[in-house]
Amino acid sequence: MKNNKLKRNAMPYLYIAPTVILMAGLLITPIVQVIRYSFYDNAFVKKNPLPVGWLNYQKVLTDPVFWQSVRETIFFVIVSIVGHIVMALIFAHLLNTTMFKQRTKTVARIIYILPWIFTATVISVMWKLFFQPAGVMNYLLGFVGLATKNTEWFSNKDIALYVVTYINLWSGYPFYMISVLAGLQGISPDLYESAAIDGATSFKSFRFITLPQLKPILLSLVMLDFVWTLKTFAIVWTLTAGGPMHATEIISLYIYRTAFMENHFSLASAAAVFLLIVCGIVAVFYTRQQFKIQED
Amino acid sequence: MVRRQNKLSKVLLSIVMILFAIYAAFPIVWMLICSFKQNDYIFAWPPKIIDESFGLRTYVRVLTDPVKLRFFLNSYIVSAAVVVLTLIIGIMAAYAFSRFDFPLKKAVNSIIVSVQAIPQICLLIPYMGIIVALQLFNTYWALILTYLVMTLPYCILMMTGYFNTLSKELDDSVRIDGGSRFRALWGVLVPISTPALVSVGLYTFMTAWNEYLFALVLTQTTNMRTIPIGINLLITEHNYDWSMMMSMSVLGSLPILILFLFFQKYFISGMSSGAIKG
């Protein structure tokens, strides 16, 4: 009898055991390790690294390239979030109008989702082709006098970050579009009908019905996008490798270069902990928001 | 008057719709076009849509090169293994979260939700050490285990949500007939969860197929490299072989594109329920 009860109590743990072991070994352990490394001198490469206190943090926080990277990251993240949400709202409304046949909308939806399915290297290759000096972009912009056959996009430090951000907008918006579309379809049509009877313009019904109804979804999306954009690595790395002159070196690339190009694993760990804290704070809010939605 | 206004707005909206479609698809279509051209013709000025070099020659070059074929094989092996393992392990955990109450449930659940926010770059430095210590560096297992950890949280959350919508009487009916919980899960719950399993499977496959950073760091020799790295190796070569890059990219994107077109509904439902992309 007692044995049976023990068995019943142990059962759920058996079911989650593989997950817990994997996550403990390959997620939690590295987090603890990276924090530890950040307090040691030359961790990872040296056999017996010495503890150095906050020295690595001091070095990172006084590195002008780090602060340049932070500024670029802030620009990249904010423009990406605003762009993704605005694009999502516009595209989703377009896919939700009653003006087109369902067939038309289905085809449009397939086309609009396309950028989402490609891997970062493919996105990078296709946009490099597009933005080559002798490429299509310069040819088309040539008609309006904005570019010539010699215009460089990725090797110009004044505009490289804008180009990279633009490509990130293109490759990311479909996810937000689909989420907003799902949200729009969840709004009761009655709300719009009664507003129409009251004589509300379409702008007014957007402002006073659509936006408030979408608010929880938009809030989740902003937080998700914040974390995802902070995490972005592959697209930027394969497009520019952070150059020219660190002009597109967002924080994840800064960490990668410091660690794997220059072998300063301890400094990179300190920068990684910095990023971890920022993401951790957002994760707490996001988790709370998710539980709130689940409970509603 | 109202009718004319409606017609006008329909025309305007149609134009916007087409412009957006061009915005979304143009670079993709251009990549496809260039994949059929020979390298010397790709940057013709003014650009030509079809030229005399148009043909399948580059595709033949990719598909007869054993090194490049190996990239594809590796990607298929790793992605398929990750899908199978994620589903098995994730389904078990989701079953526990859906059907049992246990003391650490909420804590483990919060960890699973929040780990999705961890930037991979933060884990990478110690991770490399762990993989080397496990003697898995430059093996399929290094990638399979890594992607498992990345895809499990989404799988568990989705499947827990789905199992919660299924009545507990389903399990009870199996157990009254003398079946075990194990049978209730795999014999009854899993078969009727196909829609959710397809969504999760698609997402998992796509994550594994597309992953770049860990594949870059955890593998070293060309016989272990996956497609994203294989394409990137072409970028870093001195003489850009653009036509080769384009046809490799098209071939490398084809599996996901086909899955997307066939399972559109599942793909979209997976996205709109808070899918997490690497």
Side-chain angles (χ1 to χ4, degrees):
Chain A
M1 190 64 205
K2 201 182 161 201
N3 208 355
N4 244 340
K5 199 178 166 196
L6 191 75
K7 212 174 132 192
R8 196 152 15 102
N9 282 340
M11 189 94 95
Y13 295 103
L14 285 178
Y15 278 101
I16 61 168
T19 305
V20 170
I21 292 169
L22 277 169
M23 300 245 260
L26 298 177
L27 269 174
I28 311 296
T29 314
I31 293 176
V32 176
Q33 293 260 50
V34 81
I35 297 171
R36 215 173 55 96
Y37 284 175
S38 71
F39 292 105
Y40 279 85
D41 141 54
N42 271 325
F44 203 66
V45 275
K46 246 167 105 178
K47 265 236 148 67
N48 296 306
L50 298 168
V52 290
W54 296 92
L55 187 69
N56 292 318
Y57 289 90
Q58 250 171 43
K59 278 189 190 160
V60 168
L61 293 176
T62 51
D63 178 4
V65 179
F66 174 76
W67 288 109
Q68 184 186 345
S69 169
V70 169
R71 281 195 302 274
E72 284 158 10
T73 309
I74 291 172
F75 172 85
F76 183 67
V77 169
I78 290 179
V79 174
S80 292
I81 293 176
V82 173
H84 282 150
I85 299 293
V86 170
M87 284 165 85
L89 283 168
I90 297 173
F91 278 68
H93 268 92
L94 209 53
L95 292 178
N96 200 39
T97 56
T98 45
M99 245 176 238
F100 299 108
K101 284 197 217 82
Q102 196 52 47
R103 275 264 304 267
T104 319
K105 285 194 279 187
T106 309
V107 173
R109 196 178 56 184
I110 291 177
I111 297 172
Y112 293 171
I113 291 178
L114 280 179
W116 175 253
I117 68 167
F118 293 94
T119 180
T121 16
V122 171
I123 293 168
S124 163
V125 163
M126 90 174 60
W127 282 100
K128 275 191 171 179
L129 175 81
F130 220 68
F131 276 118
Q132 275 302 297
V136 190
M137 194 57 141
N138 281 353
Y139 181 74
L140 294 177
L141 289 178
F143 287 112
V144 283
L146 283 174
T148 68
K149 202 181 166 181
N150 303 315
T151 307
E152 294 271 358
W153 295 93
F154 294 111
S155 52
N156 181 342
K157 72 174 172 45
D158 297 323
I159 53 173
L161 185 61
Y162 301 137
V163 180
V164 167
T165 311
Y166 173 80
I167 295 169
N168 189 54
L169 283 178
W170 178 86
S171 72
Y173 80 86
F175 171 79
Y176 306 94
M177 172 188 82
I178 290 298
S179 300
V180 171
L181 182 61
L184 285 178
Q185 285 162 351
I187 301 175
S188 155
D190 299 350
L191 288 174
Y192 291 108
E193 268 167 36
S194 53
I197 291 167
D198 293 343
T201 59
S202 40
F203 174 76
K204 268 199 169 152
S205 59
F206 175 76
R207 168 74 186 75
F208 293 106
I209 299 171
T210 315
L211 274 188
Q213 291 282 322
L214 287 180
K215 201 180 145 203
I217 293 180
L218 292 180
L219 205 62
S220 297
L221 289 180
V222 167
M223 287 191 273
L224 268 183
D225 203 5
F226 182 84
V227 173
W228 284 353
T229 315
L230 265 184
K231 284 160 91 162
T232 307
F233 174 82
I235 288 186
V236 185
W237 177 253
T238 51
L239 277 172
T240 63
M245 291 158 70
H246 309 295
T248 56
E249 194 172 85
I250 55 172
I251 193 77
S252 55
L253 274 76
Y254 177 88
I255 296 170
Y256 183 84
R257 177 180 57 82
T258 312
F260 293 94
M261 302 278 114
E262 291 168 7
N263 292 331
H264 295 313
F265 290 98
S266 291
L267 290 181
S269 298
V273 170
F274 182 77
L275 177 60
L276 206 56
I277 291 169
V278 176
C279 286
I281 293 169
V282 179
V284 169
F285 283 108
Y286 178 73
T287 312
R288 269 202 204 150
Q289 166 88 357
Q290 287 312 97
F291 282 128
K292 221 170 91 189
I293 291 173
Q294 271 171 32
E295 276 158 21
D296 281 347
Chain B
M1 180 62 197
V2 174
R3 219 145 132 226
R4 246 181 72 197
Q5 219 178 8
N6 263 343
K7 209 165 178 191
L8 185 71
S9 52
K10 191 172 176 181
V11 170
L12 280 176
L13 276 183
S14 306
I15 293 171
V16 174
M17 205 170 213
I18 291 165
L19 283 178
F20 283 178
I22 293 172
Y23 167 80
F26 192 25
I28 301 166
V29 172
W30 189 245
M31 167 177 83
L32 187 68
I33 291 172
C34 287
S35 72
F36 293 111
K37 294 180 183 175
Q38 293 298 300
N39 205 33
D40 299 337
Y41 293 82
I42 283 181
F43 293 113
W45 191 275
K48 275 187 191 155
I49 291 174
I50 291 184
D51 57 43
E52 59 266 37
S53 77
F54 220 72
L56 290 170
R57 252 181 296 175
T58 330
Y59 283 96
V60 174
R61 258 168 67 213
V62 174
L63 294 172
T64 52
D65 182 345
V67 174
K68 303 215 158 50
L69 287 178
R70 183 68 193 240
F71 297 149
F72 285 93
L73 180 74
N74 292 342
S75 277
Y76 276 110
I77 291 174
V78 170
S79 308
V82 173
V83 171
V84 172
L85 289 173
T86 297
L87 287 180
I88 293 175
I89 297 174
I91 283 171
M92 297 205 319
Y95 183 70
F97 284 120
S98 170
R99 294 302 195 252
F100 292 96
D101 263 318
F102 50 96
L104 291 174
K105 185 169 163 177
K106 200 157 182 200
V108 179
N109 202 8
S110 322
I111 291 177
I112 289 174
V113 175
S114 52
V115 289
Q116 293 174 312
I118 299 170
Q120 278 121 18
I121 191 83
C122 296
L123 305 176
L124 194 62
I125 300 164
Y127 201 91
M128 176 101 159
I130 294 172
I131 292 296
V132 171
L134 293 171
Q135 297 190 318
L136 293 176
F137 183 71
N138 201 32
T139 65
Y140 288 140
W141 278 109
L143 298 183
I144 293 170
L145 288 176
T146 308
Y147 302 161
L148 247 178
V149 175
M150 285 184 195
T151 53
L152 266 176
Y154 175 67
C155 175
I156 294 171
L157 295 175
M158 281 283 283
M159 293 317 297
T160 308
Y162 201 84
F163 287 158
N164 282 340
T165 64
L166 303 175
S167 155
K168 284 191 183 173
E169 283 160 25
L170 278 170
D171 322 29
D172 293 340
S173 65
V174 176
R175 299 184 60 212
I176 288 164
D177 294 345
S180 61
R181 277 190 180 276
F182 194 76
R183 257 204 54 211
L185 171 60
W186 295 100
V188 179
L189 292 186
V190 169
I192 53 175
S193 306
T194 318
L197 290 172
V198 174
S199 291
V200 173
L202 285 170
Y203 156 77
T204 307
F205 187 85
M206 187 170 141
T207 307
W209 187 271
N210 285 350
E211 204 280 333
Y212 177 80
L213 178 59
F214 282 87
L216 178 69
V217 176
L218 299 182
T219 61
Q220 197 172 33
T221 52
T222 43
N223 65 335
M224 279 295 136
R225 296 296 206 185
T226 53
I227 287 289
I229 309 298
I231 295 168
N232 198 43
L233 288 174
L234 295 170
I235 305 182
T236 39
E237 275 168 14
H238 257 306
N239 288 319
Y240 274 28
D241 189 340
W242 287 96
S243 59
M244 181 74 101
M245 275 162 33
M246 296 310 140
S247 37
M248 276 276 281
S249 296
V250 171
L251 289 171
S253 311
L254 218 50
I256 308 282
L257 184 67
I258 291 169
L259 286 173
F260 166 57
L261 291 176
F262 271 92
F263 296 101
Q264 223 204 107
K265 207 180 81 196
Y266 300 101
F267 208 92
I268 288 169
S269 80
M271 274 170 95
S272 55
S273 43
I276 308 296
K277 191 189 183 190

